[in-house]
Amino acid sequence: MRFDLVDLQLFIAVADSRSITGGADRAHLALASASERIKGLEAAFGVTLLKRGRRGVELTAAGESLLDHARLVMHNVEAMRGDLARFASGVRASVHLLANTVGLAEHLPKALAAFLRDNSDINVDVEERESIDIAAAIASGAAELGFAAEHALPDNVERFVFGEDRLVLVTARRGAFATRRQIDFQEVAGHDFVGLTQATALQLHIAKYAARLGLRLHVRARLRDFDAICQMVASGVGIAVVPEAAARRCRRAMPIATVRIRDQWANRKLVICARSFRTLPRPAKLLVDHLRQAAVSLRPGNGR
């Protein structure tokens, strides 16, 4: 069985573009050369990898399996190059971490700050995504490490619980729901809201479940952070849905009240996830170990 990394890169490019011509362009190969390489892969494995048609190509079941393995191989090769380049040039290593809105705003900053202080040769690039997108990126091998709501993850993604993320309703201390302890989200229909900007993952999550209930939220203001949202709520502009940790913090300085949302979608476990923690490059493993220790320290009875 003879094939090389160029063959795997080409196959990934063909699969992503659903076209041998498009894959050849992405891989910077002549069409004839790309076509021969694909045929060589099929001959090497003894299976048909692509279904060829007028509108391009589709992966066979064997092709889907090869794509999965090819992405993992190329990911490990890039990780190897990155680790060794760090030793050769002295350039800092970098870890790419996908995180949902709540993780980015409330849970990660303190833990990441401690990690960066202790690891001066490692940078961390955090990108905000919705949990379902993080799950897809991790499962496909397009990303190595994520911070997401557990309910969005498929079974084949490894994870450990970092903390809990309960979403609560926030209202002015003398607002319509201020005396309530719990509420069904359906009951907020018709009330003015203060929300996050539409591009944030959490706002997409809230809007999706509101739509499932047949609710159209009347959002009077959209802001970038939870403190600003709670200030608007305290001034009587509207109600809001924010993480309990943020609401509790803001409640100490603002005249707001919090109400527990009974709906299941409002209760989420936040997890650190990866396709395989064992196969992560060394910088990412160091970050995972640090976050695992941080998660333990945040649990009740461990100093918080």
Side-chain angles (χ1 to χ4, degrees):
M1 187 179 295
R2 299 178 65 85
F3 59 90
D4 56 28
L5 295 179
V6 175
D7 291 332
L8 297 183
Q9 288 176 316
L10 170 64
F11 187 76
I12 292 171
V14 169
D16 288 343
S17 62
R18 290 295 192 260
S19 163
I20 295 178
T21 301
D25 288 342
R26 292 187 184 189
H28 306 293
L29 294 172
L31 177 58
S33 175
S35 182
E36 284 303 312
R37 282 182 175 272
I38 294 296
K39 289 178 182 178
L41 273 176
E42 292 180 319
F45 290 110
V47 294
T48 300
L49 300 172
L50 301 173
K51 296 177 183 176
R52 296 159 174 81
R54 293 181 179 179
R55 297 185 178 180
V57 296
E58 295 291 334
L59 298 184
T60 64
E64 293 283 0
S65 180
L66 176 60
L67 177 63
D68 195 45
H69 287 290
R71 288 194 194 279
L72 185 58
V73 168
M74 296 311 302
H75 171 77
N76 287 338
V77 168
E78 289 302 315
M80 176 186 68
R81 286 174 177 165
D83 279 354
L84 294 179
R86 181 168 59 91
F87 289 107
S89 64
V91 176
R92 293 182 177 185
S94 182
V95 180
H96 185 200
L97 173 64
L98 303 183
N100 64 7
T101 307
V102 177
L104 191 58
E106 295 296 326
H107 298 274
L108 284 174
K110 184 177 180 179
L112 289 180
F115 175 78
L116 292 170
R117 281 197 306 269
D118 295 340
N119 297 273
S120 59
D121 60 336
I122 300 176
N123 294 332
V124 180
D125 178 20
V126 186
E127 179 182 352
E128 183 179 353
R129 296 271 196 94
E130 191 173 3
S131 289
I132 193 169
D133 293 332
I134 296 171
I138 296 295
S140 69
E144 59 187 16
L145 198 59
F147 187 106
E150 186 176 35
H151 67 78
L153 301 182
D155 293 338
N156 62 337
V157 169
E158 295 184 5
R159 82 290 303 269
F160 63 85
V161 175
F162 186 87
E164 292 193 357
D165 169 40
R166 182 188 300 278
L167 299 177
V168 297
L169 188 74
V170 177
T171 181
R173 193 169 290 167
R174 295 184 179 181
F177 302 113
T179 60
R180 298 281 298 273
R181 297 189 63 182
Q182 300 184 52
I183 195 169
D184 294 319
F185 197 63
Q186 185 78 48
E187 297 178 59
V188 305
H191 287 265
D192 291 337
F193 267 80
V194 180
L196 291 161
T197 57
Q198 289 183 320
T200 58
L202 179 57
Q203 191 61 39
L204 292 172
H205 177 74
I206 295 168
K208 178 173 68 176
Y209 283 97
R212 287 186 182 181
L213 293 171
L215 302 181
R216 180 169 181 171
L217 303 182
H218 180 220
V219 182
R220 295 200 62 204
R222 296 188 184 277
L223 303 159
R224 286 294 305 174
D225 64 79
F226 300 125
D227 290 66
I229 288 173
C230 288
Q231 286 176 3
M232 284 278 189
V233 170
S235 298
V237 174
I239 56 178
V241 176
V242 303
E244 188 173 35
R248 190 185 301 118
R249 171 170 49 76
C250 292
R251 194 173 58 192
R252 290 195 288 266
M254 305 176 195
I256 58 174
T258 59
V259 184
R260 180 175 180 177
I261 299 173
R262 293 193 188 97
D263 303 57
Q264 186 58 41
W265 62 265
N267 300 321
R268 310 189 296 176
K269 286 186 178 180
L270 294 176
V271 300
I272 305 298
C273 58
R275 190 168 181 170
S276 169
F277 290 121
R278 183 178 59 83
T279 61
L280 288 173
R282 179 178 173 276
K285 283 183 178 178
L286 290 174
L287 177 56
V288 166
D289 290 343
H290 175 83
L291 293 176
R292 198 186 295 272
Q293 292 174 7
V296 171
S297 69
L298 290 175
R299 289 170 190 161
N302 287 294
R304 186 181 182 186

